[in-house]
């Protein structure tokens, strides 16, 4: 067991989990334009070069959570059918996004350093 930032760690030494990563990415994308749920999932997958995709079981609860916290606002394309719900970020969502980005920047950087070190060590990659 090692020390990381003065704390004992039993896991990979970063504090950012998949849910937080996806939440930040959803807010990031909604800061660019409006999306609906599956479109967000597909856009995240595309932006990580199709190497990974969040599940709908992760995307939709996060959208409901962000909407109930007033960080995003949703509306139905066809309210009577309730088939496609589009989302946009709110002003408080932009503030929340900016706070999350600042809070987790070091975790992203730490993860990148660790991955690069392992690739270099194991595979001789730079």
């Amino acid at each position: 067991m090692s020390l990381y930032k003065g704390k004992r760690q039993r896991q990979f030494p970063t504090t950012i989990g998949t849910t937080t990563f996806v939440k930040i990415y959803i807010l990031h994308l909604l800061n660019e334009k409006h999306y609906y749920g599956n479109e967000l999932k597909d856009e995240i997958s595309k932006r990580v070069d199709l190497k990974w995709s969040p599940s709908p079981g992760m995307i939709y609860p996060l959208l409901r959570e962000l909407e109930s916290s007033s960080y995003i606002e949703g509306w139905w394309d066809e309210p009577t059918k309730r088939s496609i719900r589009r989302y946009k970020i709110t002003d408080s969502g932009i503030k929340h996004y900016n706070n999350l980005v600042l809070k987790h920047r070091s975790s992203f950087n730490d993860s990148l350093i660790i991955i690069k070190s392992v690739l270099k060590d194991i595979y001789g990659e730079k």
Side-chain angles (χ1 to χ4, degrees):
M1 202 168 354
S2 64
L3 288 179
Y4 179 75
K5 292 188 179 182
K7 299 178 185 175
R8 292 177 67 169
Q9 296 291 312
R10 297 181 186 270
Q11 60 188 19
F12 199 70
T14 182
T15 57
I16 192 156
T18 307
T19 302
T20 301
F21 167 76
V22 173
K23 185 184 295 187
I24 291 170
Y25 223 150
I26 286 171
L27 291 170
H28 173 75
L29 293 172
L30 291 175
N31 202 23
E32 294 177 352
K33 70 176 201 171
H34 304 161
Y35 284 93
Y36 59 90
N38 274 337
E39 197 175 30
L40 282 163
K41 181 183 84 58
D42 293 344
E43 186 65 19
I44 291 170
S45 180
K46 183 177 106 183
R47 290 189 184 203
V48 297
D49 201 25
L50 305 176
K51 303 294 184 210
W52 176 79
S53 182
S55 71
M58 176 177 280
I59 292 284
Y60 287 101
L62 283 173
L63 288 171
R64 285 191 294 275
E65 175 191 323
L66 290 166
E67 188 172 14
S68 70
S69 299
S70 299
Y71 295 137
I72 64 173
E73 186 178 287
W75 68 95
W76 296 102
D77 272 354
E78 299 177 56
T80 56
K81 291 184 181 180
R82 295 176 55 120
S83 57
I84 295 178
R85 188 163 181 81
R86 297 195 181 273
Y87 297 92
K88 69 177 184 175
I89 195 167
T90 63
D91 289 341
S92 65
I94 292 169
K95 289 176 189 171
H96 183 63
Y97 165 71
N98 289 332
N99 288 335
L100 287 173
V101 167
L102 286 173
K103 177 181 177 183
H104 293 289
R105 182 178 181 109
S106 66
S107 294
F108 279 114
N109 284 330
D110 291 347
S111 296
L112 186 58
I113 289 166
I114 291 165
I115 296 298
K116 282 182 175 182
S117 297
V118 169
L119 286 172
K120 181 181 175 188
D121 194 36
I122 295 174
Y123 300 105
E125 296 183 17
K126 293 182 181 183

